[in-house]
């Protein structure tokens, strides 16, 4: 059995353009501490694998201390961490993944094709790919991919867009997920947690973003905690970890005689 924390879409160093400059600065500082809080939670709850499904940075040019803080946090994880770079933070020679020194327990996919990292102590293999450019209009990774029947637990980790139509961000077809034979496919790109879905016999899920950044990302945000047993049975639980959440409230301000009175009616 392997216990996985599936997280992604941190978008560290987002602009937070709807906020004042001081508020945006505060939110960026808070978000840089998100990986530290995540690792503390994963350590406290006995996770074996930390799967990070891309867009950890909002761009390939984060602030100077952001990538080292992420690397420092992941280096404190007692298990193994695996990263699949996404469209906002593609693996490039001059990007943050290449410029940063990572601990031995951090593994980063580097190519736009399926690569495999095996963890014998966990009886597990993780298969995944990186974005190597901001756009990937074709799915070049899953078609024709099939895990071996070798007794290992096989987990996939990708950033992409499960769709039946075109997409600039690695369109992934349900039939290719079904044909992969994976025991679980951890996905990033969509900012809402999907819960566990299935394509054929293969369970897959988007974990969603870990922190909402605006009123298009409402409610609880966090991670998926996934357990895969040696027989391939999967269970998953959503764990909210966001420090802040966005909500839209509908409030009856009938009879309010001033803006202050209307605001008072809206506050709990």
């Amino acid at each position: 059995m392997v216990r996985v924390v599936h997280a992604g879409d941190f978008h560290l160093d987002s602009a937070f353009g709807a906020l004042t400059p001081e508020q945006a600065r505060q939110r960026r500082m808070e978000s840089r501490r998100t990986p530290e809080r995540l690792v503390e939670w994963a350590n406290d709850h006995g996770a074996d694998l930390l799967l990070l499904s891309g867009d950890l940075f909002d761009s390939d040019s984060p602030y100077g201390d952001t990538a080292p803080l992420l690397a420092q946090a992941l280096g404190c994880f007692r298990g193994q961490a695996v990263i699949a770079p996404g469209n906002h933070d593609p693996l490039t020679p001059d990007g943050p993944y290449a410029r940063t020194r990572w601990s031995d327990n951090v593994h980063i996919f580097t190519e736009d094709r399926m690569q495999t990292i095996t963890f014998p102590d966990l009886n597990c293999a993780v298969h995944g790919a990186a974005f190597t450019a901001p756009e990937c209009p074709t799915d070049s990774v899953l078609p024709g991919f099939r895990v071996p029947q070798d007794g290992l637990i096989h987990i996939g980790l990708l950033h992409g867009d499960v769709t039946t139509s075109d997409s600039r961000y690695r369109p992934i077809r349900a039939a290719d997920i079904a044909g992969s034979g994976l025991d679980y496919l951890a996905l990033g790109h969509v900012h809402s947690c999907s819960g566990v879905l299935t394509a054929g016999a293969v369970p897959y899920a988007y974990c969603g973003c870990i922190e909402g950044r605006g009123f298009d990302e409402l409610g609880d945000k966090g991670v998926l905690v996934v357990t895969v047993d040696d027989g391939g049975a999967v269970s998953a639980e959503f764990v909210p970890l966001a420090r802040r959440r966005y909500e839209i409230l509908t409030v009856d301000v009938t009879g309010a005689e001033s803006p202050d009175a209307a605001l008072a009616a809206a506050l709990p």
Side-chain angles (χ1 to χ4, degrees), residues 59-64 67-68 91-102:
S59 76
D60 62 359
S61 300
Y63 288 86
L91 196 294
T92 60
D94 298 322
Y97 294 116
R99 297 196 311 263
T100 303
R101 183 172 182 176
W102 303 92

Side-chain angles (χ1 to χ4, degrees), residues 12-13 57-64 66 88-90 94-96 99:
L12 299 176
D13 289 342
F57 306 105
D58 196 52
S59 76
D60 62 359
S61 300
Y63 288 86
T66 302
H88 275 261
D89 58 356
D94 298 322
R99 297 196 311 263

